[in-house]
Amino acid sequence: MSISIRRGKAEDASALFGLARQYQTGREAIGRDEFSVALDNVLRQRDQETNVLFVAEEDERVVGYSLMTVSRLLHAPGLTAHLQEIVVDESARGHGTGDRLMEANEHYCMGRGVRQLSASTARIGSFYNHRGFEAMGQHYRKLLDLG
């Protein structure tokens, strides 16, 4: 069982839609039309690439993806990246797919000179819950050693 990582493309839409519906963080899952608009935007070429979509395949079947944005922030020098989404199909979890996707994102960042990669997770403290927030994430970052 070999896991390969590659850039996402329009032909992956059906598989990615199924995975995106597994990710669901809002009150309702994304619909097909909204997903199509989002995927088109993610895949659109720009002068300064801001969206990076990686797809994980196992035996030629899409089993995961990650979506990262690369940008400049006003408070940090240079390029930064934020891992917006990382999803591994429920049937493929526990085989290293998530690790491989993370490695692909880190490698991409280091190749572009990105020093900070941040990510969010679905954990949040009672401080925010008490104030009417819904648990959506906790912010983490990893400083990358560019050598």
Side-chain angles (χ1 to χ4, degrees):
M1 148 173 51
S2 176
I3 300 166
S4 62
I5 306 295
R6 62 171 172 77
R7 293 296 291 267
K9 52 190 177 190
E11 294 79 19
D12 299 320
S14 291
L16 291 172
F17 177 64
L19 290 167
R21 289 183 61 89
Q22 286 183 35
Y23 185 74
Q24 183 179 344
T25 59
R27 294 187 191 278
E28 61 186 71
I30 191 166
R32 184 63 187 215
D33 290 341
E34 295 90 354
F35 173 83
S36 295
V37 169
L39 182 61
D40 180 61
N41 183 59
V42 164
L43 295 176
R44 187 175 304 127
Q45 288 298 109
R46 296 174 174 81
D47 290 339
Q48 294 291 325
E49 185 175 24
T50 56
N51 296 306
V52 181
L53 177 65
F54 285 113
V55 169
E57 286 184 322
E58 186 176 343
D59 300 324
E60 299 183 24
R61 181 176 75 94
V62 174
V63 295
Y65 76 86
S66 65
L67 175 61
M68 178 176 62
T69 55
V70 178
S71 61
R72 291 189 183 275
L73 301 177
L74 296 177
H75 75 276
L79 289 171
T80 63
H82 185 77
L83 186 62
Q84 302 291 344
E85 300 173 29
I86 185 166
V87 182
V88 175
D89 186 74
E90 292 171 354
S91 68
R93 292 179 186 160
H95 299 119
T97 303
D99 291 334
R100 294 288 310 279
L101 285 165
M102 286 303 300
E103 289 169 4
N105 283 284
E106 290 179 16
H107 181 74
Y108 179 90
C109 287
M110 290 186 283
R112 292 225 27 223
V114 174
R115 284 200 154 294
Q116 177 176 297
L117 172 60
S118 60
S120 298
T121 184
R123 298 185 188 122
I124 195 165
S126 62
F127 175 83
Y128 296 101
N129 292 331
H130 181 68
R131 289 164 178 80
F133 285 78
E134 294 180 24
M136 294 300 295
Q138 189 171 350
H139 187 81
Y140 290 89
R141 75 173 181 185
K142 180 178 182 179
L143 298 180
L144 303 173
D145 180 15
L146 299 179

